[in-house]
Amino acid sequence: MYKENCYKVLSNDRIAKDVYKMILQGDTQYITAPGQFINIKLEGKFLRRPISVCDCDENTITIIYKTVGSGTEYMSTLCDGKELDILTGLGNGYDIKKSAKPLLIGGGVGVPPMFMLAKKLLAAGQKPTVILGFNTKDEIFYEDEFKSIGCDVRVTTVDGSYGIKGFVTDAFPDDYDYFYTCGPMPMFKAIENKAETSGQYSFEERMGCGFGACMGCSCKTKYGSKRICKDGPVLEREEIIW
């Protein structure tokens, strides 16, 4: 179930190169699973902007976004107190599985939904290992936040300017038994070749409505066509057609 409502910007701060953290105040009851997203209406833009939820509590939603176009550039200029029309509770989110040693893998702006997921796993008595993948040191964010809640954190940079040099697949532990991931498609394909367990992928896709009506984000799976915005964005490894 999703809901359209008005939300107030409480803060909107730059936390890494071209990356911003925004905290919104409003109704959060429709966000029921980590990995869900919100769809933000912006002045002068025909389509809303889908952004994954990083965290939420009874009154606030935290999102993290990267400025990659005119829409997100505009978002970065929004001041405290600005009110936004937002659809919340979109997407299926991650299905938390019973796992002794879960592995969470976030690449770039695929990192944010891993944070709420990590908190849910910890609350369920599971201690995740978290791999955060970036191109360079200037892009890194949320390493300390993951550590502060009790996660084992590994950071990779492609250029070797911080942490482990290479890709997220170069930081895989030997003893994980399930994985969750969000990030770009090249990272997904590398994980698919590396991973030895079942897992869940959260896909990024251009969207129109964000709630399954326009069919613009449909993709083929082993079990028929699915809409990334409604039947996803999270898909089980076993159903994905690469």
Side-chain angles (χ1 to χ4, degrees), residues 172-193:
F172 268 45
D174 295 325
D175 56 351
Y176 68 98
D177 58 5
Y178 195 84
F179 72 87
Y180 305 85
T181 185
C182 183
M185 187 61 72
M187 186 187 86
F188 281 178
K189 291 183 177 179
I191 291 171
E192 183 65 16
N193 290 330

Side-chain angles (χ1 to χ4, degrees), residues 64-84:
I64 293 175
Y65 63 95
K66 185 174 184 178
T67 53
V68 295
S70 60
T72 45
E73 284 285 356
Y74 171 72
M75 283 177 58
S76 71
T77 68
L78 298 178
C79 300
D80 299 0
K82 175 69 174 179
E83 293 189 342
L84 295 173

Side-chain angles (χ1 to χ4, degrees), residues 147-185:
K147 288 181 176 178
S148 71
I149 60 174
C151 296
D152 172 20
V153 182
R154 305 178 181 196
V155 179
T156 67
T157 52
V158 175
D159 65 1
S161 54
Y162 185 89
I164 300 168
K165 182 177 181 179
F167 302 100
V168 294
T169 48
D170 294 309
F172 268 45
D174 295 325
D175 56 351
Y176 68 98
D177 58 5
Y178 195 84
F179 72 87
Y180 305 85
T181 185
C182 183
M185 187 61 72

Side-chain angles (χ1 to χ4, degrees), residues 98-153:
K98 291 183 178 179
S99 170
K101 298 177 180 178
L103 175 62
L104 278 57
I105 313 154
V109 288
V111 166
M114 297 291 103
F115 187 70
M116 185 174 173
L117 174 60
K119 292 176 69 174
K120 295 291 187 181
L121 290 170
L122 287 164
Q126 304 176 42
K127 185 173 181 180
T129 295
V130 179
I131 303 175
L132 310 177
F134 303 94
N135 290 314
T136 185
K137 182 179 180 180
D138 293 342
E139 299 176 357
I140 295 171
F141 62 89
Y142 257 54
E143 176 187 9
D144 292 339
E145 283 80 357
F146 278 100
K147 288 181 176 178
S148 71
I149 60 174
C151 296
D152 172 20
V153 182

